[in-house]
Amino acid sequence: MSTAKALLCGLAILLVGVSCDQAQDRSQQINKDPADTSNTVMDTTADLNSEIDTAEWSNFNSENAFLGLGNPEFGDLDSMVVRRRIRVLVPYTQVYFTIDLKKRSGIAYEALELFETDLNKRLHLKPRQVRIIFIPVNRQQIIPLLRAGYADLAFAGMTITEERKELVDFSIPSITGLKEIIVGGPTAPKLNSLADLSGKEIYLREGSSYESAAMKLNDSLKTKELKPVIIKPLDPYLESEDILEMVNSGVIPYTAQVEDVARLWSHVMPNLVLYDTIPLATNISYGWLFRKESPKLKGVVDQFLLRYKKGTKGGNMLYDKYVKSARLLPKIYSKNSFSDVNV
């Protein structure tokens, strides 16, 4: 017993000694690091147009679409420049952002790549040192993640509404004049007016502008003493093409979609019925989203959109490429593919 106690005592003394040495090393490191960090921050933020040391970025992995979700970070554009990244939420969808092996594409991807180049040029940073970090999420997560500091910006084709403006800020509209329409399936009863939806089921993403428009339609139907539309919530992870595919195959009878996107997918989903003459909502505008009290970020985004929103040469080229043309739709979405599937 005495030998065992002696061994234990010796081990305890050894551990205490090591712990003290480690604590002393950490104390010395802590006393040293804050000064170094503050100097770095002061040197970087003193002049946003100054050159930033690029050594830290020598191993930067631009393909990492998930960097930045780990810790909440706040602040305006100057803080993002210090961190050398702007974290952007995007929906994982064929139109906005998608990954095929190592190739990324979509209207959000190309527009934000242009924004990254433009921002670094404004800051006189060569090579590009403030990077866009793409974080694909479902649309229901976008506003909560922005507000909680897990991202700085969002490009998701989200409608500018008064309800959303209470929670986040929007850029100037990136596109205006859109229509939200009802899309029916092959076995759903034909509609001659929105009143024909009375008592029928329509499947919509919860919290979407489509849901808000359907609720307004119900208010209108109530004044006419008609039954309300039965709004069925959809899984937030379902994107436009997923929902339209279910309508096309007859799994669900109706949904709502922006006319241009519905028309795009109708090229390869031949059973879709687009009710464009009886729109659910009109004069819809989209914008980029960011946290409130981000005037510097809003300023550079607005300046960028003045040259790349829909209606400009650059904006029209991107919109036509990803929204107006079916050429880039994946091969799985083809008339032959759909005809081979028994639903």
Side-chain angles (χ1 to χ4, degrees), residues 298-315:
K298 176 176 169 55
V300 295
V301 169
D302 286 352
Q303 287 296 317
F304 174 79
L305 289 177
L306 287 174
R307 291 176 287 117
Y308 284 97
K309 64 182 179 180
K310 179 73 166 60
T312 65
K313 181 179 179 180

Side-chain angles (χ1 to χ4, degrees), residues 25-127:
D25 291 341
R26 284 197 300 268
S27 176
Q28 292 173 352
Q29 187 66 26
I30 290 170
N31 291 334
K32 178 181 178 181
D33 285 347
D36 294 342
T37 303
S38 62
N39 288 337
T40 302
V41 173
M42 290 175 62
D43 292 341
T44 307
T45 57
D47 182 5
L48 293 180
N49 295 325
S50 65
E51 293 292 334
I52 300 177
D53 181 18
T54 61
E56 185 179 331
W57 290 91
S58 59
N59 294 319
F60 179 80
N61 179 9
S62 62
E63 299 300 322
N64 183 0
F66 303 99
L67 179 66
L69 256 183
N71 298 303
E73 297 172 336
F74 295 90
D76 201 351
L77 179 64
D78 45 0
S79 299
M80 300 168 203
V81 172
V82 171
R83 295 192 291 262
R84 304 182 190 179
R85 65 175 181 262
I86 300 176
R87 303 158 301 160
V88 185
L89 302 174
V90 291
Y92 191 78
T93 172
Q94 186 67 29
V95 171
Y96 284 91
F97 180 85
T98 190
I99 304 173
D100 183 6
L101 298 178
K102 294 189 69 175
K103 181 182 179 182
R104 294 179 290 180
S105 62
I107 191 170
Y109 174 71
E110 287 205 29
L112 287 161
E113 284 284 286
L114 290 169
F115 174 69
E116 180 186 281
T117 300
D118 183 76
L119 176 63
N120 281 274
K121 185 177 180 181
R122 283 175 175 270
L123 299 177
H124 303 292
L125 299 177
K126 298 180 181 179

Side-chain angles (χ1 to χ4, degrees), residues 50 76 89 151 158 182 228 269 273 321 329:
S50 65
D76 201 351
L89 302 174
M158 295 188 73
I182 302 298
M269 300 182 189
V273 181
K321 179 178 179 180
L329 296 182

